């Protein structure tokens, strides 16, 4: 497991799919209440960026990053 000692209270970013991360960044995943370290980055076949994170409790997980959901113009026009 990746050691997170001393990282819980400083230099930690809360994970969100819209954010971008670098290898070595420490992140906190609110849903899992877990800290992890980014160990790799890749671009999937559909062009979506992902990160591999080694979490203290959840182990190795792949998460999306820099995700920008495009709002459908038709859907947007229906919201009044």
């Amino acid at each position: 497991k990746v050691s997170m000692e001393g990282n819980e209270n400083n230099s930690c970013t809360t994970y969100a799919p819209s954010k971008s991360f670098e290898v070595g960044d420490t992140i906190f995943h609110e849903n899992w209440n877990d800290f992890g370290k980014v160990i790799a980055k890749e671009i999937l076949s559909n062009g979506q960026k992902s990160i591999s994170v080694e979490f203290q409790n959840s182990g190795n997980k792949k998460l999306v990053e820099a995700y920008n959901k495009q709002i459908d113009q038709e859907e947007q026009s229906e919201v009044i």
Side-chain angles (χ1 to χ4, degrees):
K1 288 189 173 187
V2 174
S3 173
M4 295 289 122
E5 191 171 327
N7 283 329
E8 284 87 348
N9 296 320
N10 57 5
S11 67
C12 182
T13 303
T14 300
Y15 170 76
S18 59
K19 294 182 181 177
S20 292
F21 302 93
E22 298 299 326
V23 172
D25 285 356
T26 301
I27 67 170
F28 176 71
H29 198 293
E30 287 183 319
N31 291 346
W32 301 334
N33 193 30
D34 204 357
F35 290 91
K37 188 170 281 190
V38 179
I39 57 173
K41 292 178 67 144
E42 68 179 299
I43 298 176
L44 305 177
S45 60
N46 65 358
Q48 175 61 55
K49 294 179 181 179
S50 76
I51 54 174
S52 293
V53 181
E54 182 69 32
F55 285 98
Q56 283 183 306
N57 300 316
S58 306
N60 197 339
K61 301 282 186 185
K62 283 194 176 182
L63 304 172
V64 297
E65 73 160 349
Y67 181 74
N68 294 318
K69 184 177 180 183
Q70 294 181 348
I71 298 172
D72 185 352
Q73 291 298 325
E74 185 177 317
E75 182 180 310
Q76 188 177 26
S77 66
E78 291 177 6
V79 179
I80 299 174

